[in-house]
């Protein structure tokens, strides 16, 4: 049987399938449907230094083969996470990564420092790309100097696996990827949501309370795949690919494009068991193609 | 415990131009459900209905392991569901959300408008099984928009209003004579329907020391607490209508009424 284990720097995953932040709650929400411990890892909700109420409703709009969201990082704050949520989930036997966001470099640093103390959290995913937060996320991920500044500052205090999640809302994503790699990122994940909007023609108003929001789901997959391919050519750290993955074939496309692991987001809403199906589908693909290690797929795209 | 299950359609009963009732067969013993809970239904074969559609549990028959869904056709997703035929499969994630809670007195009024009548049949049956005879107040635009009144009549007294007066009392539910009495014949209102209707009822209840449980229809992406798209403002801040609701005590909501 083919080996599914992958390494992201020091981080060992039993298989390359993780869940995307903001789509998988804290894992508990899915425990009735699947064995959480069978996953390569889960990335929990975006966590900030202080509790946030998020944006006003409506925060969601369905779009062709996808959805827009403007949740706005609603969360209980890092102390709420540590006191209320961490004790409930720390015994999951999978890699639990916390997605960290902030509106200043200091907030990122303080949040990362607190999470560094948690034994059962082997890594963080630095969200420098969330397009929802007016004063924060967007700015860090869309300019090279600020992406470098925040990664550098967090690297100084955070000792475990530092994954940096890139925004697709940029002119050249490889520049940012190279910048954060040079600042000490252990891996990069991409893509976060694409900035979009929807209008209700009857009311002539935007559907979302924030006017614009983040697009996700199968409709973003070709863009995400292109960016994963470009970034994996540009950096040496492992790349974690996501954006519209809804089947094993989708996941394998990302691996072939250069990803070492993948995350599944929006597809969990339609099929809460999709992660397990993707893991099984990758295993079957290896068998069908007489390959003995999933790592053989990473970057195995045949061109020319 | 939440489940993800393929049900088989046994019947698709057309009620009006807009409404159908699907009866679904569960493959084994049905898990227990609470009135007011809902299912997230996968819409197969629709071009644009990408997310699941939330639909209330309309009725449950534990002895035959069947449930009913009452569907109003409003867009592509519900139109595709309304075309399902006997023998077709339908994938449900269920039972979801926090349903209605049982009252401290037996004097209950269940008020529904539009597709909001859906959860009230299961709720009414639940009351009857607990020895409570419910009163129903059902509002519609016209006589033709009132659905399955006979089913409600089997469980309790049914009062009707229509906006054009073509059936029952003319006006909105709040204009019905049973709402006008100085001392109402009920201590608890259970309602599901348009926000405007529920707000009027919440205000009515608030000024008379009556409790009012309302069921919200916020747009949802997951239906089980994973995405935080479905929130409503409450006295404790944003709460998910899919997990903490869809049923809330109206006093808990930050409603401008
Ligand atoms: C808890 C709950 C219980 C419900 N119970 C019933 C029921 O028993 N019977 C019934 O007919 N309808 C019910 N609804 C409303 C039903 O979910 C919508 O009418 C349906 O989703 C519309 O889908 P569509 O594709 O036909 O319409 P479209 O307008 O094309 O849908 C576009 C998007 O908006 C969402 N949407 C549109 N209207 C609503 C709405 N009123 N509530 C929530 N989401 C909406 C859809 O899910 C979809 O994502 C319920 C809603 C909720 C939240
Ligand atoms: C409802 C929702 C909430 C999200 N919240 C976050 C978040 O808090 N932090 C983050 O980095 N990404 C967040 N994302 C982005 C996803 O993690 C992922 O990058 C994106 O949705 C693309 O993957 P997908 O198409 O598989 O969903 C969110 C996405 C959705 C749909
Ligand atoms: S719909 Fe996803 S949290 Fe309520």
């Amino acid at each position: 049987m083919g080996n599914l284990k992958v390494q992201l720097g020091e981080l060992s995953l039993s298989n390359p399938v993780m869940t995307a932040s903001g789509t998988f709650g804290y894992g508990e929400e899915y425990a009735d449907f699947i064995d959480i411990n069978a996953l390569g890892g889960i990335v929990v909700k975006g966590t900030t230094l202080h509790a946030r109420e998020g944006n006003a409703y409506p925060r969601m709009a369905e779009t062709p083969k996808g959805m827009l969201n403007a949740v706005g990082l609603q969360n209980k704050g890092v102390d709420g996470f540590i006191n209320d949520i961490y004790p409930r989930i720390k015994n999951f036997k999978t890699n639990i990564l916390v997605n960290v966001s902030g509106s200043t470099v200091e907030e990122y640093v303080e949040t990362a420092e607190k999470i560094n103390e948690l034994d059962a959290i082997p890594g963080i995913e630095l969200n420098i790309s969330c397009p929802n937060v007016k004063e924060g996320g967007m700015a860090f991920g869309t300019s090279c100097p600020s992406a470098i500044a925040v990664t550098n500052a967090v690297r100084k205090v955070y000792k475990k696996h530092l994954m940096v999640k890139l925004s697709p809302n940029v002119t050249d994503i490889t520049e940012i990827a190279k910048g954060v790699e040079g600042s000490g990122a252990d891996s990069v994940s991409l893509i976060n949501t694409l900035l979009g909007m929807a209008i209700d023609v009857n009311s002539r108003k935007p559907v979302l309370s924030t006017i614009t929001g983040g697009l996700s789901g199968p409709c973003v997959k070709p863009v995400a795949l292109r960016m994963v391919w470009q970034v994996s050519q540009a950096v040496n750290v492992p790349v974690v690919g996501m954006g519209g993955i809804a089947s094993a074939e989708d996941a394998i496309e990302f691996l072939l494009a250069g990803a070492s692991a993948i995350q599944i987001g929006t597809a969990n809403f339609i099929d809460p068991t999709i992660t397990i199906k993707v893991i099984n589908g990758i295993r079957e693909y290896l068998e069908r193609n007489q390959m003995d290690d999933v790592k053989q797929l990473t970057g195995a795209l045949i061109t020319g | 415990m939440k489940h993800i299950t393929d049900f088989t359609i046994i019947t698709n009963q057309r009620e009006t131009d807009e409404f159908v009732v699907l009866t679904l067969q569960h493959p084994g013993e049905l898990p227990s459900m609470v009135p007011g809970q809902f299912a997230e239904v996968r819409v197969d074969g629709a071009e644009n209905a990408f997310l699941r559609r939330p639909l209330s549990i309309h009725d449950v028959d534990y002895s035959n392991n069947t449930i009913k869904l009452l569907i109003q056709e409003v867009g592509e997703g519900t139109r595709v569901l309304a075309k399902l035929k006997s023998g077709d499969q339908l994938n449900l994630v269920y039972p979801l959300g926090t349903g209605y809670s049982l009252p401290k007195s037996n004097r209950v009024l269940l008020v529904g408008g539009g597709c909001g009548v859906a959860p009230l049949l299961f709720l009414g049956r639940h009351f009857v099984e607990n020895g409570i005879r419910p009163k129903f107040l059902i509002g519609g635009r016209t006589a033709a928009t009132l659905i399955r009144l006979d089913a409600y009549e089997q469980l309790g007294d049914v009062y009707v209003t229509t906006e054009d007066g073509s059936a029952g009392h003319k006006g909105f539910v709040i204009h019905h004579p049973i709402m006008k009495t100085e001392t109402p014949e009920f201590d608890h209102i259970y309602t599901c329907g348009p926000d405007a209707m529920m707000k009027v009822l919440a205000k009515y209840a608030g000024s008379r020391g009556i409790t009012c449980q309302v069921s919200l229809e916020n747009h949802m992406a997951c239906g089980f607490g994973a995405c935080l798209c479905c929130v409503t403002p409450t006295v404790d801040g944003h709460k998910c209508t899919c997990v903490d609701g869809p049923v809330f005590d109206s006093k808990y909501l930050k409603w401008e009424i």
Side-chain angles (χ1 to χ4, degrees), chain A residues 5 14 16 71 79 93 106 124 164 173-174 242 247 255:
Chain A
K5 288 201 192 88
S14 62
V71 171
D79 291 334
K93 289 186 179 51
E106 294 71 32
I124 58 174
V164 179
I173 195 163
T174 63
M242 81 192 91
S247 68
L255 299 176

Side-chain angles (χ1 to χ4, degrees), chain A residues 24 26 40 80 84 100 116 124 159 161 172 178 202 229 259 271:
Chain A
F24 209 69
Y26 294 100
D84 302 340
V100 171
N116 194 47
I124 58 174
K159 306 299 174 212
H161 189 90
D172 183 357
K178 284 187 274 191
N202 294 316
W229 179 69
D271 182 356

